[in-house]
C-alpha cells in the first residue's frame, strides 16, 4: 500500500479558474488535483486531495490525519494569514507539513506576507502556480522516505496491556 499524503486546500480555492486568473491562473482545482494524482503515481504516494471553505472542517481533517497519513501539503488560502487553530492542528499532527501557495505572497499586499502556519512547515513554496504542488509532492516523497529510514513519524507501537 502506498503511503498517503493529505493535500488540503482552504477557502475560495474551489473558485480557481474563474477567480482573479491574473493572480491564480486559469487552471481549476480539479486540474490541480489531477496534476497531484499524476505526480503521486510517479512518486509512489497516494493522494488524498480535499478543499473546504470551513476552518473547522480543515482542522478536523488535520486531526484525523495524525498517525494515518504520511504527510500534509497545505494551501490554506486566506486562513494562512489568520489561523492559529490551523497552526495548532498542524503541530499536533506531528506530520511533515509543506505549505504551498499559487501566488508569490511577497509580491502582494503586506497582510499576505505573514503566515501563521509556516511555523509548522518543513518548507514553503509560493509563486510557482500549480507547479508548486508538484514540487512540494516531490519534496514530500523524499521527506517521507527519509523519515521511514530513520523511524521518525513512525506510528507509535500499540500497548498490548
Ligand atoms: C490563496 C489565497 O486564497 C489567498 O488568500 C492567499 C493563496 C494566497 C495562494 O496564492 O494560493 O493569500
Amino acid at each position: 500500500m502506498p503511503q498517503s499524503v493529505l493535500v488540503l486546500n482552504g477557502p475560495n480555492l474551489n473558485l480557481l479558474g474563474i477567480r482573479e486568473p491574473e493572480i491564480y491562473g486559469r487552471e481549476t482545482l480539479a486540474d490541480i488535483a489531477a496534476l497531484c494524482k499524476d505526480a503521486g503515481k510517479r512518486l509512489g504516494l497516494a493522494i488524498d486531495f480535499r478543499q473546504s471553505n470551513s476552518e473547522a472542517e480543515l482542522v478536523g481533517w488535520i486531526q484525523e490525519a495524525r498517525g494515518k497519513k504520511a504527510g500534509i501539503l497545505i494551501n490554506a488560502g486566506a486562513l494562512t494569514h489568520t489561523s492559529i487553530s490551523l497552526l495548532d492542528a498542524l503541530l499536533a499532527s506531528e506530520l511533515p507539513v509543506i505549505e504551498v501557495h499559487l501566488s508569490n505572497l511577497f509580491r502582494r499586499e503586506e497582510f499576505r506576507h505573514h503566515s501563521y502556519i509556516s511555523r509548522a512547515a518543513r518548507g514553503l513554496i509560493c509563486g510557482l502556480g500549480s507547479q508548486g504542488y508538484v514540487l512540494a509532492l516531490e519534496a514530500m516523497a523524499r521527506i517521507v522516505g527519509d523519515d521511514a529510514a530513520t523511524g521518525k513519524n513512525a506510528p507509535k507501537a500499540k500497548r498490548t496491556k
Side-chain angles (χ1 to χ4, degrees):
M1 274 270 281
Q3 304 210 72
S4 177
V5 173
L6 183 60
V7 181
L8 286 183
N9 295 277
N12 298 307
L13 291 166
N14 54 315
L15 299 179
L16 286 180
I18 50 170
R19 170 193 184 209
E20 299 179 274
E22 64 291 353
I23 295 175
Y24 297 108
R26 299 222 170 258
E27 280 165 299
T28 64
L29 195 63
D31 293 334
I32 296 179
L35 268 182
C36 288
K37 288 191 177 158
D38 280 354
K41 271 189 205 135
R42 176 166 56 83
L43 297 165
L45 297 172
I47 304 298
D48 184 355
F49 193 96
R50 303 183 194 194
Q51 187 275 335
S52 178
N53 292 326
S54 152
E55 183 173 14
E57 190 163 38
L58 291 163
V59 167
W61 287 340
I62 295 167
Q63 288 183 1
E64 282 167 20
R66 190 188 148 96
K68 295 198 188 103
K69 301 291 183 187
I72 300 176
L73 227 87
I74 182 163
N75 180 353
L79 292 172
T80 304
H81 319 297
T82 62
S83 179
I84 299 171
S85 307
L86 276 185
L87 168 65
D88 285 348
L90 290 168
L91 290 172
S93 76
E94 294 185 29
L95 290 171
V97 172
I98 302 181
E99 181 180 352
V100 181
H101 301 283
L102 295 157
S103 64
N104 181 347
L105 302 180
F106 304 99
R107 295 185 75 175
R108 301 187 62 195
E109 305 94 319
E110 209 156 316
F111 63 83
R112 295 185 204 273
H113 296 183
H114 178 257
S115 163
Y116 278 102
I117 64 173
S118 289
R119 290 182 77 102
R122 297 265 185 119
L124 158 68
I125 296 177
C126 79
L128 300 178
S130 59
Q131 200 200 350
Y133 283 70
V134 174
L135 294 171
L137 283 172
E138 286 170 1
M140 184 61 82
R142 242 168 220 258
I143 291 169
V144 164
D146 288 351
D147 285 358
T150 59
K152 215 171 152 194
N153 293 316
K156 308 265 179 300
K158 279 202 186 117
R159 289 175 67 139
T160 47
K161 283 185 191 161

